[in-house]
Amino acid sequence: MTVTATSVDESDQLEPKAAPGSRLARLVRLVPAAVAALSGVLLYVSFPPRTLWWLALPAFACFGWVLRGRSWKAGLGLGYLFGLGFLLPLLVWTGVEVGPGPWIALVVVEAIFVALVGAAITAVSKLPAWPLWAAALWIAGEAVRARVPFHGFPWGKIAFGQADGVFLPLAAVGGTPVLGFAVVLCGFGLYEIVRLALESRRTRVVRRSAATVALLSVAVPVVGALAARGLVSDKAEDGTTTVAVIQGNVPRAGLEFNAQRRAVLDYHVKETLRLAAKVKAGKVAKPDVVLWPENSSDVDPFADAQAYTDIDEAAKAIGAPISVGGVVERDGKLYNEQILWDPVKGPTSTYDKRQIQPFGEYLPMRSLLGAINKNWTTMVRQDFSRGTKPGVFTMNGAKIGLVTCYEAAFDWAVRSEVTDGAQLISVPSNNATFDRSEMTYQQLAMSRVRAVEHSRTVTVPVTSGVSAIIMPDGKITQKTGMFVADSLVQKVPLRSSETPATKLGILPEMALVLIAAGGLGWAVAAGVRGRRVGDV
């Protein structure tokens, strides 16, 4: 039903009262802003390397409290504070080697998307079943952020903080959008339960329909996650393969490792030769597949005879094909490339990274930035070019899908390898630039979510760590330390069946975006009519 809008802000019901104009009154007005910012920090704390995934629920419960019943302008500001509280600490690693400027600039821009979501949530908070509309709006905001600007930046999706959580099986149902939606819905639902409980205590009236919706907002995600556990399996469907993940390490952390390209290649060759010696001595199983990290050979082996010889020597010594991460120049263009190196035939196939990193692998608006400060253009002297095709290498009969580093954050980039036939996913990465920051753990959590999403073993070979082997159920079975030379060898299952998430692709995300648009349209229409929609 609809009722005439009241002049009382419903969010005030949970705020302390104070005399107008008093110092206490001024402090009270700051409470929502402080709670918004601290809720964002709480959401950050729920992310890896910590295993406090459940903190995302009270984070969104508090966020729901500060937004419900307020004006869209207040929602814009409070949403921005929530975004800053979340993203400033989450993305601090982006400034490890280049200073705080790029880090703060990135956060300032990305928080705008959260601010817009906050404004929209204030509008739908006046609707029946508002947690549903609000959670869908959050996912719609993530969908936009994953696409613009500069082809998007999906880092910080709620799903990526849930690798250790009870909701993880939902990744196999509808990918990161459904997993994230369930978490946000549950958080908003928790707040709604508390709000209705306090209201009924004050008024002695229980609004059963509203209470039912609130309870369902919490119960459905939890029950759905438990039901989805049947989709999670680590059993082999197409036999097994023995993989070797090589972590050669780098001479020094930071950007200067790029000036030591020969040393990085030498380290990965040496670690492969060391593994070959262990195999020969019978200490470890002989691998069928050897996986090197991104940038393990920044010396172009097609242009440098010594680099070619060194890699070929490693492949022959281990007696297995190697996926080599190289930087290759072809037809005047630069590519971040994975090269399939056969011990007999040499290089046979390549995969060029498709989702390249803005300001890291290419410089958007180069002429404009150069006009402002020429030093900025020296950070990326030559732009990398994008690949155009999925990369699935056939290595000793196993189909290995390549998802290079930054690409692991993008739903489409991972799914395309699976739909192209990948039985196992490899995420070759180079995190040396980010020293010992949380970045490597955040990316490792992404790979764990991808393992469950597509029911595939995921290997993560990293130049400086943390490298890991992840089963299709998202569990890490082996991992290395950081900034050590090491190798991991394990027999892993090969799988070819597709989860609902793989089959559905973008459809769950589109459905949630449409739900968000429908709720926002309803709220706007109700506002234009000058009426307030009552709670069910």
Side-chain angles (χ1 to χ4, degrees):
M1 68 175 183
T2 59
V3 296
T4 305
T6 65
S7 59
V8 178
D9 190 335
E10 291 187 19
S11 61
D12 289 341
Q13 295 173 0
L14 297 180
E15 293 179 15
K17 299 293 187 282
S22 68
R23 179 177 296 181
L24 179 59
R26 289 193 294 271
L27 290 175
V28 167
R29 284 197 293 270
L30 293 177
V31 169
V35 171
L38 291 173
S39 297
V41 174
L42 192 63
L43 181 59
Y44 154 70
V45 175
S46 75
F47 271 65
R50 295 156 297 277
T51 58
L52 303 173
W53 58 270
W54 51 272
L55 287 178
L57 304 183
F60 278 102
C62 293
F63 191 41
W65 170 64
V66 299
L67 292 179
R68 191 177 190 281
R70 297 191 187 275
S71 69
W72 70 267
K73 292 181 181 179
L76 194 70
L78 293 168
Y80 197 75
L81 289 172
F82 183 82
L84 290 178
F86 172 46
L87 296 172
L88 269 172
L90 185 81
L91 302 178
V92 67
W93 51 266
T94 60
V96 166
E97 291 297 329
V98 295
W103 161 47
I104 292 177
L106 174 63
V107 171
V108 164
V109 171
E110 292 298 313
I112 293 173
F113 294 97
V114 184
L116 294 172
V117 169
I121 288 176
T122 59
V124 300
S125 70
K126 303 174 180 67
L127 298 179
W130 71 268
L132 171 70
W133 314 111
L137 279 166
W138 182 272
I139 299 305
E142 287 189 344
V144 174
R145 196 161 65 84
R147 290 166 173 81
V148 294
F150 314 127
H151 299 275
F153 186 75
W155 215 279
K157 275 189 168 188
I158 299 305
F160 296 149
Q162 296 295 309
D164 291 294
V166 298
F167 297 102
L168 180 60
L170 289 171
V173 176
T176 60
V178 168
L179 173 53
F181 173 75
V183 175
V184 180
L185 176 61
C186 197
F188 286 146
L190 283 174
Y191 161 64
E192 183 70 349
I193 290 172
V194 173
R195 186 185 74 84
L196 291 172
L198 292 175
E199 179 187 273
S200 65
R201 184 177 181 180
R202 186 181 65 253
T203 63
R204 299 182 183 277
V205 175
V206 177
R207 291 189 288 117
R208 294 181 179 178
S209 55
T212 299
V213 170
L215 290 170
L216 288 174
S217 297
V218 175
V220 170
V222 174
V223 172
L226 294 175
R229 292 175 67 180
L231 298 172
V232 180
S233 173
D234 62 357
K235 293 182 180 179
E237 294 176 333
D238 304 302
T240 61
T241 191
T242 300
V243 299
V245 171
I246 302 296
Q247 178 176 301
N249 202 11
V250 299
R252 293 194 301 271
L255 294 175
E256 61 270 20
F257 85 91
N258 284 311
Q260 304 170 66
R261 297 175 178 180
R262 175 67 63 180
V264 175
L265 172 58
D266 289 345
Y267 284 13
H268 285 83
V269 170
K270 288 178 181 177
E271 187 58 33
T272 305
L273 295 176
R274 187 158 37 241
L275 176 61
K278 291 180 182 178
V279 171
K280 188 175 181 180
K283 295 180 179 179
V284 296
K286 183 180 184 300
D288 302 308
V289 172
V290 180
L291 303 167
W292 282 13
E294 177 189 35
N295 300 127
S296 48
S297 178
D298 276 355
V299 180
D300 185 348
F302 298 113
D304 188 296
Q306 188 59 53
Y308 188 105
T309 299
D310 291 345
I311 297 170
D312 206 51
E313 177 191 359
K316 284 180 167 59
I318 197 67
I322 304 176
S323 180
V324 178
V327 173
V328 173
E329 187 169 351
R330 187 168 58 250
D331 300 326
K333 296 180 179 180
L334 206 59
Y335 293 93
N336 185 336
E337 191 165 84
Q338 287 291 310
I339 306 164
L340 175 54
W341 208 287
D342 186 86
V344 177
K345 300 177 183 178
T348 58
S349 302
T350 60
Y351 166 65
D352 298 323
K353 187 176 182 180
R354 294 170 293 168
Q355 188 69 41
I356 56 177
Q357 183 181 348
F359 304 101
E361 293 173 306
Y362 78 100
L363 194 63
M365 306 179 296
R366 179 178 289 273
S367 58
L368 175 61
L369 292 176
I372 298 172
N373 188 334
K374 290 184 179 180
N375 291 332
W376 290 350
T377 60
T378 62
M379 294 175 61
V380 184
R381 290 185 175 85
Q382 181 180 351
D383 291 343
F384 280 81
S385 295
R386 298 176 183 274
T388 58
K389 298 178 180 179
V392 179
F393 290 167
T394 300
M395 304 175 71
N396 265 336
K399 295 184 181 296
I400 314 296
L402 284 308
V403 180
T404 306
C405 197
Y406 183 57
E407 292 183 318
F410 293 83
D411 295 347
W412 66 268
V414 184
R415 178 177 179 268
S416 66
E417 311 302 69
V418 179
T419 57
D420 205 46
Q423 299 166 308
L424 179 152
I425 299 170
S426 183
V427 185
S429 304
N430 175 22
N431 298 339
T433 303
F434 307 110
D435 203 0
R436 295 180 181 274
S437 69
E438 295 182 355
M439 183 271 188
T440 189
Y441 300 104
Q442 293 172 8
Q443 190 177 55
L444 188 59
M446 289 181 193
S447 296
R448 294 178 62 191
V449 172
R450 298 306 185 190
V452 174
E453 181 180 12
H454 298 293
S455 195
R456 296 291 187 273
T457 298
V458 177
T459 61
V460 187
V462 185
T463 50
S464 56
V466 173
S467 299
I469 296 175
I470 305 166
M471 290 294 98
D473 60 3
K475 291 183 174 62
I476 297 174
T477 53
Q478 291 191 62
K479 64 180 180 179
T480 69
M482 294 186 72
F483 294 100
V484 294
D486 204 352
S487 61
L488 307 173
V489 179
Q490 184 175 323
K491 182 182 288 187
V492 298
L494 299 175
R495 294 177 60 85
S496 57
S497 63
E498 294 187 351
T499 63
T502 307
K503 294 175 181 177
L504 293 171
I506 198 175
L507 293 179
E509 184 180 62
M510 289 178 61
L512 290 170
V513 170
L514 289 174
I515 290 171
L520 190 58
W522 183 10
V524 170
V528 169
R529 291 195 302 269
R531 306 285 288 179
R532 183 183 180 118
V533 181
D535 295 305
V536 295

